[in-house]
Amino acid sequence: AAPAPGRVPLDVQGLGPGGFRAPEVRGGLREGAGQDLAAVEEMDGKGKFDREQYDRGDKPGGGVARVLTGGNIWEKAGVNLSVVYSEMPQEALQAATERGVDRVGGTKLEPGQKVPFFACGLSSVMHPKNPFCPTMHFNYRYFETDFGTWWFGGGTDITPSYLDEDDMRHFHGTYKKVCEKYDPEWYPKFKAWADRYFLIPHRGETRGLGGIFFDDFCSEGAEKHLAFSGDCLEAVTDAYLPLIKKHKDAEFSQEQKEWQLMRRGRYVEFNLVYDRGTTFGLKMLSSGVGRLESILMSLPENARWQYNHTPAPGTPEAEIMEAFKSPREW
């Protein structure tokens, strides 16, 4: 009989505490990261990704942080691969998944009881210099607990400062094709999920123009979920780098640069207040597991907050603000 959704299938038990083949997840993410790094370095022509490998002292797990700064194209680009074997407070579990403490297999947790878990994730953010080049973010992750539950989460999203509808059709179309390979309902579901997830409630606008996002995802066999995450990761270069090639040499004014920095400010607001990965990481710091530099790697080097700024009607800035306030289909 097929395992119940969210239960670890016995035929894929291995080295993770709950059972899934941790080395396979880690290896797939590492391979995808290598391909993306090489393509970005080649296009930039100057910047190179530093490599910092870290461990967790006497605790199992660790990771590799790769950061590029001062490139021809990218102001800052980072990729972080992290593996964690530990225990998380219940509030961290709530931050890690939409269903929070329900992801413990029906176990009633006592006050203060921690949840043993394994997690492996690959995340990246790329902030270009040119205001007409969009920022791109992806994150693909796998969680399992000692209570016999597992789930995947992640997605890829785009954050332009100026609207190019052809760019958005290309980016979203690339991920629509990946989703349709597995299930025709996944793209509209995950696209709408991204529009909801990347909302900045206190602003009434989205961080960017979406993409796909999914979490607490365990409706299929674990192998299918892993293959889907791998295909999404592989699609990053096809979805994103043509947009950079198209706009990297475009001329821009100081006012357009300042608008980009204001949108970077929105990026910071979302990440520090609402982003699930950031809040989870910060809640784990008290357990000696979180790594601050990796948690905050997604933030841009420069951002701007201009008091009470509203774009003038009819301007390109006002045009994209409408898209931030009312997500559309591309």
Side-chain angles (χ1 to χ4, degrees):
R7 292 288 179 178
V8 177
L10 294 178
D11 61 342
V12 294
Q13 288 191 353
L15 298 182
F20 195 67
R21 288 182 296 201
E24 184 175 346
V25 180
R26 186 169 59 244
L29 294 178
R30 183 185 293 118
E31 180 180 356
Q35 296 170 353
D36 292 338
L37 292 172
V40 168
E41 286 185 343
E42 181 179 1
M43 179 169 285
D44 189 90
K46 174 185 175 184
K48 298 293 181 183
F49 284 92
D50 293 335
R51 186 179 192 278
E52 180 188 9
Q53 186 164 345
Y54 57 90
D55 59 33
R56 306 191 186 279
D58 58 354
K59 298 180 176 66
V64 179
R66 307 293 304 272
V67 178
L68 178 155
T69 57
N72 286 325
I73 297 173
W74 281 278
E75 172 186 280
K76 179 183 178 184
V79 180
N80 187 67
L81 175 66
S82 177
V83 178
V84 182
Y85 300 84
S86 189
E87 295 181 331
M88 63 178 130
Q90 293 176 41
E91 59 268 25
L93 180 59
Q94 290 173 333
T97 174
E98 290 203 337
R99 284 186 277 174
V101 294
D102 292 341
R103 305 305 295 143
V104 294
T107 302
K108 179 176 174 56
L109 297 175
E110 298 297 328
Q113 181 180 353
K114 293 186 177 182
V115 180
F117 76 103
F118 162 75
C120 182
L122 179 70
S123 61
S124 175
V125 178
M126 300 192 181
H127 295 294
K129 293 180 175 180
N130 193 304
F132 294 104
C133 289
T135 288
M136 184 278 304
H137 159 263
F138 70 76
N139 176 275
Y140 292 95
R141 57 189 179 272
Y142 169 76
F143 274 84
E144 61 177 38
T145 75
D146 273 12
F147 296 102
T149 56
W150 56 267
W151 65 94
F152 284 81
T156 306
D157 63 280
I158 197 81
T159 304
S161 298
Y162 288 92
L163 178 60
D164 184 311
E165 293 188 358
D166 288 339
D167 288 357
M168 295 305 99
R169 282 190 284 268
H170 170 80
F171 181 84
H172 283 268
T174 300
Y175 277 96
K176 185 174 185 287
K177 290 178 182 178
V178 174
C179 291
E180 288 179 340
K181 176 181 173 182
Y182 292 86
D183 190 315
E185 296 183 358
W186 283 6
Y187 174 74
K189 177 181 178 180
F190 297 159
K191 192 270 182 188
W193 203 339
D195 290 338
R196 295 192 305 271
Y197 177 78
F198 291 108
L199 176 68
I200 308 173
H202 64 267
R203 293 286 190 181
E205 63 194 56
T206 55
R207 184 179 79 176
L209 295 183
I212 61 169
F213 178 83
F214 57 92
D215 207 354
D216 199 36
F217 196 30
C218 52
S219 59
E220 313 294 328
E223 297 286 0
K224 183 174 181 179
H225 284 299
L226 179 60
F228 174 64
S229 294
D231 284 351
C232 288
L233 180 58
E234 187 175 334
V236 168
T237 53
D238 289 339
Y240 179 55
L241 292 189
L243 314 187
I244 299 300
K245 183 177 181 180
K246 177 180 176 181
H247 298 291
K248 64 183 178 66
D249 298 318
E251 294 184 359
F252 58 89
S253 67
Q254 179 61 29
E255 290 76 13
Q256 289 166 333
K257 183 65 180 179
E258 289 175 358
W259 170 251
Q260 179 198 46
L261 294 178
M262 281 187 271
R263 295 311 307 173
R264 294 268 169 88
R266 300 294 204 270
Y267 206 95
V268 172
E269 290 177 28
F270 175 85
N271 281 31
L272 292 182
V273 180
Y274 303 109
D275 180 67
R276 191 164 294 159
T278 303
T279 56
F280 170 75
L282 292 174
K283 290 179 185 298
M284 290 300 297
L285 288 174
S286 62
S287 301
V289 174
R291 182 175 184 268
L292 189 60
E293 287 301 315
S294 297
I295 296 167
L296 300 181
M297 185 185 68
S298 64
L299 301 181
E301 284 194 348
N302 298 288
R304 179 183 174 93
W305 284 265
Q306 183 170 324
Y307 180 74
N308 200 25
H309 180 271
T310 301
T315 61
E317 293 81 7
E319 178 188 31
I320 197 167
M321 280 300 301
E322 287 300 315
F324 293 144
K325 290 179 178 294
S326 301
R328 64 182 73 168
E329 300 300 318
W330 302 104

